[in-house]
């Protein structure tokens, strides 16, 4: 593939000895049991896929890149195509089982194509909406122009890849830095995004579960400062310890507002009540109506609540 005078090798099928897949040669069986070299299979697939449009070019490049990866990957390969059935899907469905008979091919679509494809597991979902399992697929292909959702990204295994086309202006910098980019037009590119472990952790932070965990951690961090506050209250002069309490009560009030947002998602029914009691004990202490022992006791109750939440 040539881009501005720069050449990129998409797939190398010239050296069978370097084939590290379960296919021990470059001979593949087509329908009817007739054997053809891989070069012929790839040429035929290219003719079927390429229709002289940017989208079809993206499909050809995706096909080449996946074949190259299958030649180097001896493990069982699980692949998911999302969107309407295309010549790319058909070509991959034909070649994938030849690398390993137990390779899995899934197609998430609103309709089943004509013809029989025994190697394909079709998943039908209205609007293309279907809950994807996390860490399931080695490869995901988006047949329509779009940025992958968080759920799609998390469905790819560590070091797996997702292929998608998007307008250059809509691609986030974080996706660009982890992707191999193949320009299709001045405005449109195909991205081959690799899901690295650290990127997966960053993705999880933005999921509903990750946001909940982040907010929960923020509250726990505030609560964890209470033993230090109690110790300072015991040792500091009166003027300084009241300032420490005022700051602590302010932080507890802020954390209480965060708790109100996530309370329906927590498993503890008493945590909201006990958090309010904790704030009241600190206010009482600030007004000389409370005791350190009561604050300490309520802190232990609240810590147990968070362990259950």
């Amino acid at each position: 593939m040539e881009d501005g005078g720069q050449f990129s090798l998409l797939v190398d099928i010239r050296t069978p000895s370097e084939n590290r897949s379960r296919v021990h040669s470059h001979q593949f069986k087509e329908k009817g049991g007739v054997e053809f070299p891989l070069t012929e299979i790839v040429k035929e697939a290219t003719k079927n896929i390429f229709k002289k449009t940017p989208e079809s070019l993206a499909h050809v490049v995706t096909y080449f890149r996946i074949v190259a990866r299958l030649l180097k990957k001896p493990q069982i390969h699980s692949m998911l195509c999302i969107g309407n059935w295309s010549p790319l899907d058909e070509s991959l469905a034909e070649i994938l089982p030849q690398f390993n008979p137990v390779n899995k091919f899934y197609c998430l679509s609103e309709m089943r194509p004509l013809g029989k494809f025994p190697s394909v597991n079709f998943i039908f979902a209205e609007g293309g909406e279907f809950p994807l399992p996390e860490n399931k697929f080695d490869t995901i292909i988006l047949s329509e122009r779009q940025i992958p959702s968080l759920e799609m990204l998390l469905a790819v295994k560590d070091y797996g890849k997702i292929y998608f086309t998007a307008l250059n202006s809509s691609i986030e910098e974080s996706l660009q830095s982890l992707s191999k980019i193949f320009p299709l037009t001045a405005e449109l590119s195909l991205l081959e995004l690799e899901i690295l472990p650290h990127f997966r952790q960053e993705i999880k932070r933005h999921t509903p579960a990750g946001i909940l965990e982040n907010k929960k951690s923020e509250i726990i961090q505030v609560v964890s400062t209470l033993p230090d506050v109690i110790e300072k209250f015991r040792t500091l002069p009166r003027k300084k310890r009241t300032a420490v309490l005022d700051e602590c009560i302010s932080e507890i009030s802020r954390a209480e507002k965060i708790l109100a947002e996530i309370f329906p998602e927590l498993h503890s029914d008493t945590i909201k009540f006990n958090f309010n009691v904790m704030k009241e004990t600190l206010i009482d202490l600030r007004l000389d109506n409370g005791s350190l022992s009561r604050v300490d006791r309520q802190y232990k109750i609240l810590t147990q609540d968070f362990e259950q939440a």
Side-chain angles (χ1 to χ4, degrees):
M1 183 177 182
E2 183 181 1
D3 172 38
Q6 299 296 319
F7 290 88
S8 177
L9 183 63
L10 300 177
V11 57
D12 186 353
I13 53 180
R14 299 169 297 179
T15 50
S17 61
E18 294 185 6
N19 182 358
R20 292 185 288 274
S21 70
R22 289 176 180 265
V23 178
H24 300 298
S25 72
H26 281 53
Q27 292 296 120
F28 288 76
K29 285 187 178 181
E30 271 203 337
K31 296 171 184 177
V34 180
E35 289 195 350
F36 286 90
L38 178 58
T39 50
E40 294 301 319
I41 299 292
V42 169
K43 285 179 182 178
E44 190 61 32
T46 304
K47 291 177 184 177
N48 293 334
I49 295 171
F50 187 45
K51 307 300 179 185
K52 296 184 179 180
T53 66
E55 285 75 14
S56 66
L57 176 58
H59 287 178
V60 171
V61 176
T62 300
Y63 179 80
F64 285 161
R65 295 296 294 172
I66 290 174
V67 170
R69 189 165 172 230
L70 290 169
L71 283 168
K72 299 177 181 180
K73 186 177 175 67
Q75 301 98 319
I76 296 171
H77 200 94
S78 180
M79 187 179 301
L80 171 67
C81 292
I82 300 177
N84 294 328
W85 184 258
S86 70
L88 170 63
D89 301 328
E90 186 170 343
S91 298
L92 289 172
E94 288 179 354
I95 203 170
L96 186 63
Q98 300 196 57
F99 284 95
N100 190 333
V102 295
N103 282 344
K104 301 293 184 183
F105 188 100
Y106 299 86
C107 181
L108 175 58
S109 177
E110 293 185 31
M111 56 173 28
R112 187 188 183 102
L114 297 175
K116 294 183 178 180
F117 301 92
S119 62
V120 183
N121 299 279
F122 286 98
I123 305 168
F124 305 106
E126 186 175 350
E129 295 295 329
F130 187 85
L132 297 176
E134 188 174 327
N135 201 29
K136 169 71 175 179
F137 304 101
D138 297 283
T139 302
I140 291 182
I141 304 164
L142 306 183
S143 63
E144 298 173 2
R145 190 184 303 179
Q146 62 178 304
I147 300 295
S149 65
L150 295 179
E151 184 187 31
M152 293 174 187
L153 296 174
L154 289 172
V156 182
K157 297 178 183 177
D158 284 348
Y159 303 104
K161 295 185 178 181
I162 183 166
Y163 295 85
F164 63 98
T165 55
L167 294 172
N168 299 331
S169 58
S170 67
I171 305 170
E172 295 180 11
E173 187 176 339
S174 60
L175 296 183
Q176 290 188 29
S177 63
L178 295 172
S179 300
K180 189 172 182 63
I181 300 176
F182 301 95
L184 304 172
T185 68
E187 297 82 22
L188 186 69
S189 293
L190 168 71
L191 278 78
E192 178 186 83
L193 171 62
E194 185 173 21
I195 305 299
L196 301 175
H198 76 271
F199 182 53
R200 178 183 299 280
Q201 294 305 314
E202 182 64 26
I203 295 169
K204 284 187 172 182
R205 290 181 54 208
H206 299 283
T207 63
I211 293 171
L212 173 63
E213 196 59 36
N214 290 340
K215 289 186 175 182
K216 184 178 171 182
S217 297
E218 189 174 353
I219 298 169
I220 292 174
Q221 187 175 0
V222 171
V223 173
S224 67
T225 63
L226 286 172
D228 288 340
V229 171
I230 294 171
E231 184 61 28
K232 287 179 179 179
F233 190 86
R234 287 194 177 102
T235 58
L236 289 175
R238 181 179 178 82
K239 288 185 178 180
K240 290 186 177 180
R241 69 186 186 186
T242 54
V244 169
L245 269 184
D246 287 341
E247 184 179 353
C248 180
I249 291 169
S250 177
E251 283 296 290
I252 288 288
S253 297
R254 182 180 66 83
E256 189 178 28
K257 292 178 181 178
I258 300 173
L259 179 62
E261 296 176 16
I262 66 173
F263 176 68
E265 306 297 327
L266 300 179
H267 300 295
S268 172
D269 294 329
T270 60
I271 191 169
K272 191 175 181 182
F273 170 78
N274 286 327
F275 206 91
N276 184 259
V277 173
M278 180 77 252
K279 185 173 73 171
E280 288 181 355
T281 60
L282 289 169
I283 293 173
D284 286 344
L285 187 65
R286 174 67 175 81
L287 299 174
D288 293 330
N289 294 326
S291 66
L292 283 174
S293 60
R294 188 181 173 207
V295 172
D296 189 52
R297 183 170 62 252
Q298 194 60 31
Y299 165 74
K300 292 177 181 177
I301 292 172
L302 199 55
T303 300
Q304 291 175 352
D305 262 340
F306 273 107
E307 289 175 356
Q308 298 172 3

